[in-house]
Amino acid sequence: MLAVAVLAAGKGTRMKSELPKVLQPIAGATLVERVLSSCEALEPERRLLIVGHQAERVEHSLAAHSGLEFVLQQPQRGTGHAVQQLLEPLAGFQGDLLVLNGDVPLLRPQTIAELVERHRASGSAVTLLSARLADPTGYGRVFADGAGNVSGIIEHRDCTDAQRDNTLTNAGIYIFNWPKLAAVLPQLRADNDQGELYLTDTVALLRPAMHLEVADPDEINGINDRLQLAQCEAVLQQRLRQHWMREGVTFVDPASCTLSDRTVFGRDVLVEPGCHFRGANQIGDGCHIGPGSLLENAHLGRNVEVLYSVVREARVADDCAIGPFAQLRPGADLAADCRVGNFVEIKKSRIGAGSKVNHLSYIGDAELGEQVNVGAGTITANYDGVAKHRTVIGSGSKTGANSVLVAPIELGANVTVAAGSTLTKDVPAGSLALGRARQLVKQNWQPRQDAADAAATPPAAAPEPR
């Protein structure tokens, strides 16, 4: 049996943020969400989150994660004190306890799985993750023999100068035999310059103790400030881009693009510079994205082109072309072979196959059939100041430039709307609709002479003073 405890009680003062540190975003997820996802494959029987600073806010942010148990640490007196809070919730538990830190987001699931496997194979009371760092300043040092048996861990601030020469550091990730840990937790003492209870002190009380040295030291990078947050973001972005390039995606300038780990690409996708992917995107085979595009929770079919455009919570079928400078807002749904051109905005609308909205138009709360041609500057006036209304345009219809369709309104199939028309009533199929003021032309017209003379005569000068 396995229980996982995530330490997430700290304030994160150095972040200089109203947001709790574990809720800081990184690659499309919060720090604590990323830590929780790293151990999902282990399928633990219990998942406990030790919270403290803004505990209610942290709990609320994780409301969608079922099965979490929240344990309050108040006040926060160190990592040992945090794990002491589990004595009651885990009373009678006979399995292993994996302890993770809510501000260490780069651990790979396979590394955690290897740690658990090493622990169980060795029969250790505790197995900890270690890393050898070129600059170990600030990290506790692990003292072990060549077989991996750990004799103790000393925090950096408590090390002698000679002990600080040891570059094998404690990553702060542990797996314990819980009954053995529970027996020694009450023995912890705050005999250090911080006046805190260190979980590391349990290692000296438990035998046997082992360590697993991680191959990639970046995995144990913790986050205490914005600089470290940016550094970890860069590592995650590099991992994601490298993964998808190995899967057949071309990034013209990888460093200029950012991804979320819920974005999935097909084969032969071309991503040009300056593109950003947020949330859960599905990008089909052969798509061409960018340059300069933002996609968020978008679903693109095969061979879609998106240039200098924004696509949010929208669906685009095969062989469509979007942009440049278009915006597909939530609820936009394009069938195959559509064209959406420059300075077009589409919101909560279904666009039928082969339809074109090429220039300077707003389509909102609308249903367009197939092979509809929307003229430049066409507007569906969907809001009456109180409620939104639908516009329906039948297949094969055409709107002229600068047309306004005042919803609710329905145009049948094969309707032609004359340029400059404002329509407020339904139009039957096969009709020509005009809704504009009559043009008035006055031939041989000149402005009134007296008005023209007055306009041409400069104002009289003020009299000079005597």
Side-chain angles (χ1 to χ4, degrees):
M1 296 177 66
L2 179 66
V4 174
V6 179
L7 309 186
K11 184 176 181 179
T13 304
R14 282 179 281 175
M15 297 299 296
K16 301 187 184 304
S17 174
E18 294 299 317
L19 196 64
K21 179 168 67 170
V22 296
L23 298 188
Q24 296 291 333
I26 182 169
T30 64
L31 296 180
V32 69
E33 284 177 323
R34 191 162 295 282
V35 172
L36 287 169
S37 67
S38 68
C39 60
E40 284 180 353
L42 298 175
E43 299 182 347
E45 283 76 16
R46 304 277 297 273
R47 292 185 302 158
L48 304 102
L49 205 71
I50 301 173
V51 294
H53 177 65
Q54 295 195 44
E56 291 185 0
R57 188 171 184 178
V58 175
E59 291 184 34
H60 179 74
S61 75
L62 296 170
H65 296 257
S66 61
L68 286 180
E69 303 172 53
F70 295 93
V71 179
L72 183 64
Q73 181 194 12
Q74 199 66 265
Q76 290 90 52
R77 295 180 51 224
T79 54
H81 180 251
V83 178
Q84 282 181 345
Q85 310 312 304
L86 301 177
L87 287 169
E88 182 178 342
L90 289 180
F93 181 71
Q94 296 300 308
D96 294 317
L97 175 69
L98 174 66
V99 179
L100 304 173
N101 289 301
D103 61 356
V104 179
L106 300 182
L107 272 176
R108 292 183 172 93
Q110 52 268 41
T111 299
I112 297 175
E114 186 179 353
L115 179 67
V116 173
E117 183 180 354
R118 170 70 63 87
H119 174 74
R120 290 175 172 171
S122 67
S124 298
V126 55
T127 306
L128 59 99
L129 197 65
S130 63
R132 203 168 295 278
L133 303 179
D135 180 6
T137 303
Y139 286 87
R141 305 304 201 275
V142 176
F143 295 88
D145 62 22
N149 296 297
V150 176
S151 58
I153 303 173
I154 303 177
E155 293 298 317
H156 176 86
R157 64 179 65 89
D158 300 319
C159 285
T160 65
D161 289 342
Q163 288 170 332
R164 288 179 181 177
D165 290 337
N166 177 14
T167 60
L168 187 65
T169 63
N170 175 29
I173 308 300
Y174 312 87
I175 181 167
F176 296 94
N177 176 288
W178 170 250
K180 293 181 179 180
L181 176 64
V184 303
L185 278 173
Q187 301 177 33
L188 295 179
R189 297 292 181 266
D191 299 329
N192 53 71
D193 66 354
Q194 291 290 100
E196 294 185 346
L197 301 177
Y198 292 157
L199 186 59
T200 52
D201 290 346
T202 64
V203 176
L205 302 173
L206 295 169
R207 288 293 178 270
M210 299 285 293
H211 78 99
L212 172 68
E213 185 176 339
V214 66
D216 178 7
D218 279 343
E219 290 193 50
I220 69 159
N221 287 352
I223 293 175
N224 291 303
D225 56 29
R226 305 279 183 163
L227 177 61
Q228 291 173 335
L229 181 66
Q231 290 168 344
C232 286
E233 176 82 42
V235 171
L236 281 173
Q237 291 297 330
Q238 180 73 351
R239 285 184 189 175
L240 290 168
R241 291 189 296 261
Q242 287 179 351
H243 168 78
W244 287 112
M245 285 188 283
R246 293 187 185 104
E247 293 296 315
V249 177
T250 294
F251 287 90
V252 175
D253 181 14
S256 71
C257 300
T258 59
L259 314 179
S260 69
D261 57 6
R262 291 184 293 158
T263 293
V264 177
F265 296 93
R267 298 286 180 87
D268 297 314
V269 173
L270 173 63
V271 181
E272 295 208 58
C275 291
H276 305 282
F277 300 84
R278 305 281 182 265
N281 297 288
Q282 292 280 340
I283 312 298
D285 294 348
C287 287
H288 178 180
I289 311 299
S293 294
L294 169 65
L295 281 74
E296 182 175 348
N297 299 319
H299 190 290
L300 273 54
R302 296 167 58 92
N303 304 315
V304 174
E305 181 181 69
V306 180
L307 303 179
Y308 291 108
S309 294
V310 175
V311 182
R312 280 195 168 102
E313 298 180 26
R315 299 181 65 87
V316 181
D318 298 349
D319 302 309
C320 289
I322 312 299
F325 312 117
Q327 180 178 197
L328 302 187
R329 291 172 54 192
D333 188 352
L334 278 58
D337 199 32
C338 287
R339 299 291 181 269
V340 175
N342 49 289
F343 305 105
V344 170
E345 180 180 352
I346 298 177
K347 187 268 303 186
K348 203 175 180 181
S349 297
R350 165 73 178 172
I351 311 297
S355 293
K356 295 176 175 59
V357 191
N358 276 328
H359 324 279
L360 306 163
S361 296
Y362 171 71
I363 305 296
D365 299 283
E367 179 83 25
L368 276 61
E370 298 181 359
Q371 302 296 329
V372 171
N373 189 73
V374 177
T378 295
I379 303 296
T380 59
N382 56 331
Y383 185 51
D384 63 6
V386 178
K388 300 288 181 70
H389 300 283
R390 298 286 293 172
T391 296
V392 178
I393 303 177
S395 295
S397 292
K398 304 175 182 64
T399 67
N402 290 333
S403 298
V404 179
L405 308 179
V406 182
I409 189 170
E410 181 171 352
L411 278 57
N414 300 311
V415 165
T416 297
V417 178
S421 294
T422 297
L423 304 184
T424 60
K425 296 180 180 180
D426 293 350
V427 179
S431 301
L432 169 66
L434 298 89
R436 58 194 182 204
R438 182 185 300 275
Q439 180 170 313
L440 178 63
V441 177
K442 292 186 176 181
Q443 296 186 14
N444 301 316
W445 178 82
Q446 296 291 333
R448 290 176 54 187
Q449 189 61 41
D450 55 353
D453 291 344
T457 302
E464 294 183 3
R466 293 177 180 272

